[in-house]
Amino acid sequence: MRIHRWLIATILMTAMLAIAVAITTNQPYLHQFDTWGLHLAGQTTTTRTNWARTITNWGSPVGMVITAIVLALWMLWRRRPTWAATLASAVLATAILNRLVKAVVVRPRPFVADPQLHALAHASGWSFPSGHASASAALVIIMLMYIWRWHRRPATRTLAAIIGVLYLATIVWTRVYLHVHFASDVLAGVLEGVAVAIIAREIMRGLQQRYRRHLMHGGVGGPAG
């Protein structure tokens, strides 16, 4: 099962890198995808713009870090230190990786690349990949993993999955709607965030198992995780 998770993470990261290559080589199908994504985001209205700005501020990398800290403290209170470390490390890793990839791909934002578009929210720096999408995806996936591990009721799992998917989809939509990211930026961000979440969970799981074996050899039980 662990091999399957690593394989999934590898596939997701490879897909994200493939999008980056398509951007740097100006592939026409990517332009078509971005045009379709912008059209799908819908026409701008004052009400939708105000709502999108509110939602997108909550999903910012800074907002996700604050949310991750709160949730990690809650996990520590629940005596789940491994999960707290997983959540914190995943969100932090997406922020670091995001900056590195941005510096390599150096893709202008939509309102810079197309003078006909106007940014409906403040955004600076390079466009690819979306930090909002990657951080939000990492946080959502870790929380879903946590709920799947500690809550057995199907209704709880289903509700959590619906809320998580809707939240992530809304964040992704706001970034394209506000003209601060291309559709391929947010897609790559989601791929990156999910992959990082899986990798963080597997690394922390491995460290936890090694720690437990060490304590067992010493005659002491390990943490609940």
Side-chain angles (χ1 to χ4, degrees):
M1 182 62 72
R2 293 187 63 183
I3 295 177
H4 292 165
R5 294 193 184 103
W6 280 105
L7 178 60
I8 291 172
T10 301
I11 292 173
L12 294 175
M13 278 296 188
T14 302
M16 189 268 282
L17 293 175
I19 297 174
V21 172
I23 291 171
T24 57
T25 55
N26 296 316
Q27 295 298 320
Y29 65 83
L30 195 67
H31 175 71
Q32 295 173 358
F33 177 77
D34 289 333
T35 301
W36 172 80
L38 183 61
H39 175 75
L40 189 64
Q43 296 295 321
T44 60
T45 66
T46 302
T47 301
R48 296 178 74 189
T49 299
N50 291 336
W51 184 68
R53 286 171 178 167
T54 301
I55 298 297
T56 208
N57 288 336
W58 186 20
S60 68
V62 173
M64 286 297 95
V65 168
I66 295 173
T67 303
I69 290 173
V70 173
L71 291 173
L73 290 175
W74 174 75
M75 289 175 175
L76 288 174
W77 178 72
R78 298 281 296 175
R79 298 183 180 180
R80 306 284 186 248
T82 302
W83 283 99
T86 300
L87 180 61
S89 61
V91 174
L92 178 61
T94 58
I96 296 173
L97 180 59
N98 195 275
R99 284 185 172 273
L100 292 175
V101 176
K102 283 179 183 289
V104 173
V105 179
V106 293
R107 187 187 201 185
R109 292 186 182 270
F111 60 87
V112 175
D114 185 356
Q116 294 183 349
L117 295 177
H118 300 282
L120 301 177
H122 173 72
S124 59
W126 302 112
S127 188
F128 181 90
S130 167
H132 283 65
S134 59
S136 297
L139 187 142
V140 166
I141 294 302
I142 293 297
M143 290 307 300
L144 290 180
M145 288 179 178
Y146 178 86
I147 291 171
W148 248 250
R149 172 66 178 82
W150 297 106
H151 295 271
R152 302 297 182 182
R153 295 179 59 185
T156 302
R157 291 179 169 185
T158 301
L159 180 60
I162 292 174
I163 293 174
V165 170
L166 288 177
Y167 167 75
L168 183 57
T170 303
I171 290 295
V172 165
W173 168 77
T174 65
R175 303 310 286 168
V176 178
Y177 171 84
L178 294 170
H179 301 160
V180 293
H181 277 295
F182 295 99
S184 51
D185 295 336
V186 295
L187 173 59
V190 171
L191 295 173
E192 174 196 328
V194 175
V196 169
I198 295 173
I199 293 171
R201 176 55 185 155
E202 290 307 303
I203 291 175
M204 291 301 171
R205 190 202 302 269
L207 293 174
Q208 180 188 36
Q209 291 175 350
R210 290 182 60 183
Y211 180 69
R212 282 178 169 174
R213 286 195 296 266
H214 173 74
L215 290 179
M216 287 176 64
H217 291 159
V220 183

